[in-house]
Amino acid sequence: IIEGGVSTQENVEVLRMFRKHCKVLVAVGECALTGGVPSLRNTVPLKECVEEAYLKGFTVVDGVIPNDPDLPLLLDRVYPAHEVVKIDYHLPGCPPSADTLWAALTALLSDEPVELPYSLIRYD
């Protein structure tokens, strides 16, 4: 089970490792399915996002862009998980309802097909 969008090189590596070692990979939540709110930065070049966050933002006091080798490298945009690896099941929602999680997990654990009726995946 994975959650979250893919926004750093480390995210890509971890997601690929999960895919390599998992028989079934389930993406949970809107960030994993679409990039979610973090993907709003996809409309602005990465350089501008970093400058706004660390140099020009109205809450910035001592503007310094972090430059530590231990920090993961940011990708040019935030990607949904299925654009990086094959995802077997997608559970929508922010977060998915407990009933949706329960239905999917109990089906997977009992080796049954995952069937999510519309009532479990609609949000209106």
Side-chain angles (χ1 to χ4, degrees):
I1 296 174
I2 59 100
E3 55 84 27
V6 182
S7 63
T8 68
Q9 186 58 44
E10 181 181 47
N11 294 154
V12 171
E13 293 166 11
V14 169
L15 191 53
R16 286 181 178 159
M17 186 211 34
F18 269 59
R19 177 72 275 175
K20 181 179 177 182
H21 292 30
C22 293
K23 180 179 173 184
V24 175
L25 195 55
V26 180
V28 175
E30 290 309 310
C31 289
L33 274 65
T34 67
V37 171
S39 70
L40 291 174
R41 82 164 167 92
N42 293 351
T43 62
V44 179
L46 179 59
K47 183 177 188 257
E48 288 181 36
C49 288
V50 172
E51 287 175 354
E52 181 67 23
Y54 295 106
L55 301 176
K56 300 177 183 175
F58 69 90
T59 60
V60 173
V61 177
D62 296 322
V64 176
I65 295 176
N67 188 20
D68 188 303
D70 289 335
L71 292 174
L73 294 175
L74 290 173
L75 299 175
D76 61 331
R77 58 188 291 263
V78 178
Y79 295 87
H82 71 272
E83 288 187 17
V84 178
V85 298
K86 178 185 179 286
I87 299 293
D88 300 299
Y89 297 100
H90 297 87
L91 303 182
C94 184
S97 71
D99 290 338
T100 302
L101 291 166
W102 179 259
L105 294 177
T106 56
L108 287 168
L109 291 171
S110 59
D111 237 3
E112 296 176 12
V114 175
E115 295 179 5
L116 299 174
Y118 181 68
S119 61
L120 290 181
I121 59 171
R122 72 174 179 79
Y123 295 90
D124 56 346

